[in-house]
Amino acid sequence: MERLKKKVLDMISSDNIPDSDEEEPQVDARASFHNLSDGNFENRLPKKIKGSSQIVPGEEDVIVPTFSKKTAKKSQSVTSSKASSLGGQGGAREIAEGLPIKLKTMSTVFFALFINLALLVFLIQINHGLYIPVNEHLMTRVGPVVIEILLHVGHLLTSEAMNDAIAFYFGYLYTRKRGFSLCCCGFVQSNVLTKARFSEKLTYRSPTWKLLTRVSFFFTLHMLLTPLTVFTSTGIYASESREDSGTKECLIYDQKGAFFDRQFPTINYGMGLAELVFGTAVGDLRSELDVPVSKHIMAPQLIDVALDGQAIVGDGFVTSLTTHCMCANSPGPQDLSVAGVDPSIANQMSTLFYSLNNRIGLVNHLELNGTSNIVVTTLLSGISYCGGTNTSTPTLFVCKTNVFDHYRAVVRNELMTDGSPASIAQKTSTVRSIGAPANMTWLYQAMQSTLSGTFSAIPFPGNIPGTLNPMLWWTSSNLQSFSGSFLEAGLETTFAIILRLSMQRSYSVKGMRCVQNLVSEGYSFVTLKMVGTITGFIFLSGQLLFILLSLAIYSIWFFLNNPVMPGIRMAKEHSYFSLMACSAISNGSVQGIKGVMDSSYMWARLDFPVRIGESIASKEDPDVGYIVVDKPKFVTALKFQRKYL
């Protein structure tokens, strides 16, 4: 077959076709070569050639593609005669590479940049919270899938933009004087997975092996960003959306006027109430939530009716608490001092501890440090968690609770009920905004009133035999005994309840109308967890870095004085690459690539430098030049304002 094709081309190019009575149409050598690839190629030959040969080459013949000086010179003469005969006819046109053409070629890069920037803005907004007109349950199911798809679209566009940038760069190299390896077209036209191992198909002596290995490293690095999208999409968290509408009657606690002790509620009242209190209603506490510091939130109190899930918004307070505990060898003053108790109060604290007679209770001392914070030193009686069997000198916990950052705030108080007004109770308290610092001295005096002075020894008996007092439930894992891992966070909750009792007892109170906060049907409030935020920023930052690298490669184009579009098309488009490669074969520039187009060795056999440009045979033609792929010495640079075929 190959010999037949070559014989036909030789006959056409050398004008050895016998004369005929009928006028024969002019035959283009390259067009005839492409027609030969058709199964019905004999019908396309001139009449005097049909059936002139029965040569069928062996399928085992494999020819390594190389250049031939003899066929190249022959091709030049043929091309020259055609150029002079065709002139400006035959569809010749100029190569246009104006700004619109360049921007259109770079459109994938700009689109990828736009998509990734939009995703980055969306990530920033959703990190602060975003209201979306989708039900929270539907958003929980569908939201991660949608985010995953959007991130993958951005990733695919970025990969395509990188490939286009490499196609431009290789196309630019094909138009240079020294040319570039023909196998690099295969690298551009391969998928991402094939790119990673493309250089393995080349020999280690290949001049392009190192370059393709480095370029494939960037594509592999970009592909490794893909798993991050899973962590980002699954970090989506949707909750119900709420809006303010109407008002409700409520009580607001404030620090106005002079300090006044109403003598109620008492600590014993708090012990009974604690059985009915939800930890989330008291504030953002470490015993309830994954927060670094416990915060007590004093919310407005409803004196109206409400439905389940409704909330009120009004003025309140927010206060931070931290607790640290350690063991003392005995309740003696010296051991208490070693455990962190101030020596000036150690004797009195020891005396109060023994007054509880080993009953479960708290021995407290209040200390106001200026106007910044309150330190509560606490001894836990009746607890043997620190070890020891000697009841006369037991070991004990010594804890210090620091009360600080007492601020005014706007607070939302969410309510729950079974439908009856008597069952209305606080469900959660959240801070909307934090205002000015509040009076810490007032809070200190309020705590003194609740705890019956600066020093106090308060027993905490269980309401049910065998269980802890409800105010100490948060220090236990089974409501029966203390847990060392829960003790510090649990005491913070205990003192948060004491803070609430103190504010209700001593802060000024007034009735007013609070803003009613309702659930918005059909909307959800969407946020992103910390792990999703971190992985999302890493993913999009990597995407934008690769896009900027692609733009930097494209910037070379704006400084070139010769056309490079044919080189770009040959590197990027498989059909154009096949056309130019087959043209080189039909012209005799390359001695065949038979049997290797689907072979794993194809690109290794094409690893030789070629240049795309104008054939030197048509250089002298003032009207039309021919774009060819050939050895660099047989090709000249393309020019603007000149027509080419």
PDB file of all heavy atoms in Angstrom, residues 385 468 472-487 490:
ATOM      1  N   TYR A 385     -11.536  12.072  94.812  1.00  0.00           N
ATOM      2  CA  TYR A 385     -10.980  11.767  93.489  1.00  0.00           C
ATOM      3  C   TYR A 385      -9.461  11.866  93.490  1.00  0.00           C
ATOM      4  O   TYR A 385      -8.789  11.168  92.751  1.00  0.00           O
ATOM      5  CB  TYR A 385     -11.563  12.722  92.447  1.00  0.00           C
ATOM      6  CG  TYR A 385     -11.158  12.372  91.040  1.00  0.00           C
ATOM      7  CD1 TYR A 385     -11.845  11.385  90.336  1.00  0.00           C
ATOM      8  CD2 TYR A 385     -10.078  12.994  90.424  1.00  0.00           C
ATOM      9  CE1 TYR A 385     -11.470  11.038  89.057  1.00  0.00           C
ATOM     10  CE2 TYR A 385      -9.693  12.657  89.140  1.00  0.00           C
ATOM     11  CZ  TYR A 385     -10.398  11.673  88.466  1.00  0.00           C
ATOM     12  OH  TYR A 385     -10.025  11.326  87.193  1.00  0.00           O
ATOM     13  N   LEU A 468     -25.672  13.291  92.703  1.00  0.00           N
ATOM     14  CA  LEU A 468     -25.106  14.598  93.011  1.00  0.00           C
ATOM     15  C   LEU A 468     -26.182  15.669  92.965  1.00  0.00           C
ATOM     16  O   LEU A 468     -27.267  15.473  92.393  1.00  0.00           O
ATOM     17  CB  LEU A 468     -24.007  14.939  92.003  1.00  0.00           C
ATOM     18  CG  LEU A 468     -22.734  14.091  92.042  1.00  0.00           C
ATOM     19  CD1 LEU A 468     -21.825  14.465  90.864  1.00  0.00           C
ATOM     20  CD2 LEU A 468     -21.990  14.285  93.357  1.00  0.00           C
ATOM     21  N   LEU A 472     -24.198  20.355  90.324  1.00  0.00           N
ATOM     22  CA  LEU A 472     -22.914  19.695  90.090  1.00  0.00           C
ATOM     23  C   LEU A 472     -23.010  18.586  89.043  1.00  0.00           C
ATOM     24  O   LEU A 472     -22.049  17.852  88.834  1.00  0.00           O
ATOM     25  CB  LEU A 472     -22.375  19.110  91.401  1.00  0.00           C
ATOM     26  CG  LEU A 472     -22.120  20.101  92.535  1.00  0.00           C
ATOM     27  CD1 LEU A 472     -21.677  19.366  93.792  1.00  0.00           C
ATOM     28  CD2 LEU A 472     -21.084  21.137  92.134  1.00  0.00           C
ATOM     29  N   TRP A 473     -24.168  18.474  88.398  1.00  0.00           N
ATOM     30  CA  TRP A 473     -24.331  17.402  87.420  1.00  0.00           C
ATOM     31  C   TRP A 473     -23.329  17.503  86.264  1.00  0.00           C
ATOM     32  O   TRP A 473     -22.921  16.497  85.696  1.00  0.00           O
ATOM     33  CB  TRP A 473     -25.752  17.419  86.866  1.00  0.00           C
ATOM     34  CG  TRP A 473     -26.742  16.747  87.789  1.00  0.00           C
ATOM     35  CD1 TRP A 473     -26.458  16.112  88.952  1.00  0.00           C
ATOM     36  CD2 TRP A 473     -28.139  16.650  87.601  1.00  0.00           C
ATOM     37  NE1 TRP A 473     -27.604  15.617  89.523  1.00  0.00           N
ATOM     38  CE2 TRP A 473     -28.672  15.936  88.704  1.00  0.00           C
ATOM     39  CE3 TRP A 473     -29.027  17.102  86.630  1.00  0.00           C
ATOM     40  CZ2 TRP A 473     -30.029  15.659  88.848  1.00  0.00           C
ATOM     41  CZ3 TRP A 473     -30.385  16.825  86.771  1.00  0.00           C
ATOM     42  CH2 TRP A 473     -30.882  16.105  87.873  1.00  0.00           C
ATOM     43  N   TRP A 474     -22.954  18.718  85.911  1.00  0.00           N
ATOM     44  CA  TRP A 474     -22.055  18.901  84.760  1.00  0.00           C
ATOM     45  C   TRP A 474     -20.615  18.480  85.082  1.00  0.00           C
ATOM     46  O   TRP A 474     -19.777  18.438  84.207  1.00  0.00           O
ATOM     47  CB  TRP A 474     -22.083  20.354  84.305  1.00  0.00           C
ATOM     48  CG  TRP A 474     -23.349  20.701  83.590  1.00  0.00           C
ATOM     49  CD1 TRP A 474     -23.608  20.588  82.268  1.00  0.00           C
ATOM     50  CD2 TRP A 474     -24.557  21.201  84.180  1.00  0.00           C
ATOM     51  NE1 TRP A 474     -24.888  21.000  81.975  1.00  0.00           N
ATOM     52  CE2 TRP A 474     -25.500  21.385  83.134  1.00  0.00           C
ATOM     53  CE3 TRP A 474     -24.946  21.535  85.485  1.00  0.00           C
ATOM     54  CZ2 TRP A 474     -26.778  21.874  83.356  1.00  0.00           C
ATOM     55  CZ3 TRP A 474     -26.217  22.023  85.707  1.00  0.00           C
ATOM     56  CH2 TRP A 474     -27.131  22.185  84.651  1.00  0.00           C
ATOM     57  N   THR A 475     -20.342  18.166  86.377  1.00  0.00           N
ATOM     58  CA  THR A 475     -19.010  17.671  86.755  1.00  0.00           C
ATOM     59  C   THR A 475     -18.936  16.152  86.740  1.00  0.00           C
ATOM     60  O   THR A 475     -17.899  15.582  87.084  1.00  0.00           O
ATOM     61  CB  THR A 475     -18.639  18.170  88.167  1.00  0.00           C
ATOM     62  OG1 THR A 475     -19.547  17.612  89.121  1.00  0.00           O
ATOM     63  CG2 THR A 475     -18.690  19.681  88.238  1.00  0.00           C
ATOM     64  N   SER A 476     -20.011  15.503  86.336  1.00  0.00           N
ATOM     65  CA  SER A 476     -20.087  14.048  86.421  1.00  0.00           C
ATOM     66  C   SER A 476     -20.488  13.451  85.080  1.00  0.00           C
ATOM     67  O   SER A 476     -21.166  14.099  84.264  1.00  0.00           O
ATOM     68  CB  SER A 476     -21.106  13.636  87.494  1.00  0.00           C
ATOM     69  OG  SER A 476     -21.321  12.245  87.484  1.00  0.00           O
ATOM     70  N   SER A 477     -20.097  12.205  84.881  1.00  0.00           N
ATOM     71  CA  SER A 477     -20.493  11.478  83.674  1.00  0.00           C
ATOM     72  C   SER A 477     -21.691  10.573  83.921  1.00  0.00           C
ATOM     73  O   SER A 477     -22.302  10.080  82.969  1.00  0.00           O
ATOM     74  CB  SER A 477     -19.321  10.640  83.146  1.00  0.00           C
ATOM     75  OG  SER A 477     -18.906   9.707  84.128  1.00  0.00           O
ATOM     76  N   ASN A 478     -22.039  10.358  85.218  1.00  0.00           N
ATOM     77  CA  ASN A 478     -23.162   9.463  85.549  1.00  0.00           C
ATOM     78  C   ASN A 478     -24.108  10.048  86.594  1.00  0.00           C
ATOM     79  O   ASN A 478     -24.982   9.350  87.106  1.00  0.00           O
ATOM     80  CB  ASN A 478     -22.633   8.115  86.033  1.00  0.00           C
ATOM     81  CG  ASN A 478     -21.713   8.256  87.232  1.00  0.00           C
ATOM     82  OD1 ASN A 478     -21.591   9.335  87.831  1.00  0.00           O
ATOM     83  ND2 ASN A 478     -21.054   7.162  87.598  1.00  0.00           N
ATOM     84  N   LEU A 479     -23.934  11.334  86.933  1.00  0.00           N
ATOM     85  CA  LEU A 479     -24.758  12.054  87.916  1.00  0.00           C
ATOM     86  C   LEU A 479     -24.601  11.512  89.337  1.00  0.00           C
ATOM     87  O   LEU A 479     -25.322  11.945  90.244  1.00  0.00           O
ATOM     88  CB  LEU A 479     -26.251  12.033  87.535  1.00  0.00           C
ATOM     89  CG  LEU A 479     -26.619  12.500  86.123  1.00  0.00           C
ATOM     90  CD1 LEU A 479     -28.128  12.481  85.940  1.00  0.00           C
ATOM     91  CD2 LEU A 479     -26.057  13.863  85.835  1.00  0.00           C
ATOM     92  N   GLN A 480     -23.655  10.614  89.549  1.00  0.00           N
ATOM     93  CA  GLN A 480     -23.479  10.006  90.869  1.00  0.00           C
ATOM     94  C   GLN A 480     -22.133  10.347  91.501  1.00  0.00           C
ATOM     95  O   GLN A 480     -22.034  10.446  92.726  1.00  0.00           O
ATOM     96  CB  GLN A 480     -23.619   8.482  90.771  1.00  0.00           C
ATOM     97  CG  GLN A 480     -25.009   8.028  90.330  1.00  0.00           C
ATOM     98  CD  GLN A 480     -25.092   6.520  90.189  1.00  0.00           C
ATOM     99  OE1 GLN A 480     -24.091   5.814  90.303  1.00  0.00           O
ATOM    100  NE2 GLN A 480     -26.285   5.999  89.935  1.00  0.00           N
ATOM    101  N   SER A 481     -21.103  10.503  90.694  1.00  0.00           N
ATOM    102  CA  SER A 481     -19.780  10.800  91.239  1.00  0.00           C
ATOM    103  C   SER A 481     -19.053  11.741  90.288  1.00  0.00           C
ATOM    104  O   SER A 481     -19.402  11.856  89.104  1.00  0.00           O
ATOM    105  CB  SER A 481     -18.974   9.512  91.417  1.00  0.00           C
ATOM    106  OG  SER A 481     -18.823   8.845  90.169  1.00  0.00           O
ATOM    107  N   PHE A 482     -18.052  12.410  90.813  1.00  0.00           N
ATOM    108  CA  PHE A 482     -17.296  13.362  90.017  1.00  0.00           C
ATOM    109  C   PHE A 482     -16.406  12.641  89.003  1.00  0.00           C
ATOM    110  O   PHE A 482     -15.943  11.532  89.239  1.00  0.00           O
ATOM    111  CB  PHE A 482     -16.423  14.238  90.926  1.00  0.00           C
ATOM    112  CG  PHE A 482     -17.209  15.209  91.750  1.00  0.00           C
ATOM    113  CD1 PHE A 482     -17.581  14.892  93.044  1.00  0.00           C
ATOM    114  CD2 PHE A 482     -17.562  16.443  91.238  1.00  0.00           C
ATOM    115  CE1 PHE A 482     -18.300  15.782  93.812  1.00  0.00           C
ATOM    116  CE2 PHE A 482     -18.283  17.339  92.001  1.00  0.00           C
ATOM    117  CZ  PHE A 482     -18.662  17.007  93.290  1.00  0.00           C
ATOM    118  N   SER A 483     -16.165  13.318  87.897  1.00  0.00           N
ATOM    119  CA  SER A 483     -15.256  12.823  86.874  1.00  0.00           C
ATOM    120  C   SER A 483     -14.142  13.850  86.701  1.00  0.00           C
ATOM    121  O   SER A 483     -14.407  15.047  86.507  1.00  0.00           O
ATOM    122  CB  SER A 483     -15.991  12.606  85.546  1.00  0.00           C
ATOM    123  OG  SER A 483     -15.084  12.291  84.516  1.00  0.00           O
ATOM    124  N   GLY A 484     -12.917  13.384  86.783  1.00  0.00           N
ATOM    125  CA  GLY A 484     -11.794  14.306  86.681  1.00  0.00           C
ATOM    126  C   GLY A 484     -11.739  15.039  85.357  1.00  0.00           C
ATOM    127  O   GLY A 484     -11.332  16.191  85.286  1.00  0.00           O
ATOM    128  N   SER A 485     -12.161  14.380  84.281  1.00  0.00           N
ATOM    129  CA  SER A 485     -12.117  15.014  82.966  1.00  0.00           C
ATOM    130  C   SER A 485     -13.222  16.053  82.788  1.00  0.00           C
ATOM    131  O   SER A 485     -13.112  16.923  81.933  1.00  0.00           O
ATOM    132  CB  SER A 485     -12.218  13.950  81.873  1.00  0.00           C
ATOM    133  OG  SER A 485     -13.418  13.209  82.006  1.00  0.00           O
ATOM    134  N   PHE A 486     -14.303  15.942  83.599  1.00  0.00           N
ATOM    135  CA  PHE A 486     -15.420  16.881  83.482  1.00  0.00           C
ATOM    136  C   PHE A 486     -15.383  17.973  84.545  1.00  0.00           C
ATOM    137  O   PHE A 486     -16.187  18.902  84.492  1.00  0.00           O
ATOM    138  CB  PHE A 486     -16.758  16.146  83.607  1.00  0.00           C
ATOM    139  CG  PHE A 486     -17.058  15.220  82.471  1.00  0.00           C
ATOM    140  CD1 PHE A 486     -18.122  14.327  82.548  1.00  0.00           C
ATOM    141  CD2 PHE A 486     -16.295  15.227  81.320  1.00  0.00           C
ATOM    142  CE1 PHE A 486     -18.416  13.473  81.504  1.00  0.00           C
ATOM    143  CE2 PHE A 486     -16.569  14.373  80.266  1.00  0.00           C
ATOM    144  CZ  PHE A 486     -17.633  13.492  80.367  1.00  0.00           C
ATOM    145  N   LEU A 487     -14.488  17.853  85.533  1.00  0.00           N
ATOM    146  CA  LEU A 487     -14.574  18.701  86.716  1.00  0.00           C
ATOM    147  C   LEU A 487     -14.428  20.180  86.400  1.00  0.00           C
ATOM    148  O   LEU A 487     -15.263  20.997  86.797  1.00  0.00           O
ATOM    149  CB  LEU A 487     -13.507  18.278  87.730  1.00  0.00           C
ATOM    150  CG  LEU A 487     -13.509  19.060  89.056  1.00  0.00           C
ATOM    151  CD1 LEU A 487     -14.836  18.881  89.778  1.00  0.00           C
ATOM    152  CD2 LEU A 487     -12.355  18.615  89.944  1.00  0.00           C
ATOM    153  N   GLY A 490     -17.260  21.436  84.252  1.00  0.00           N
ATOM    154  CA  GLY A 490     -18.499  21.370  85.024  1.00  0.00           C
ATOM    155  C   GLY A 490     -18.604  22.479  86.057  1.00  0.00           C
ATOM    156  O   GLY A 490     -19.684  23.050  86.266  1.00  0.00           O
TER     157      GLY A 490
END
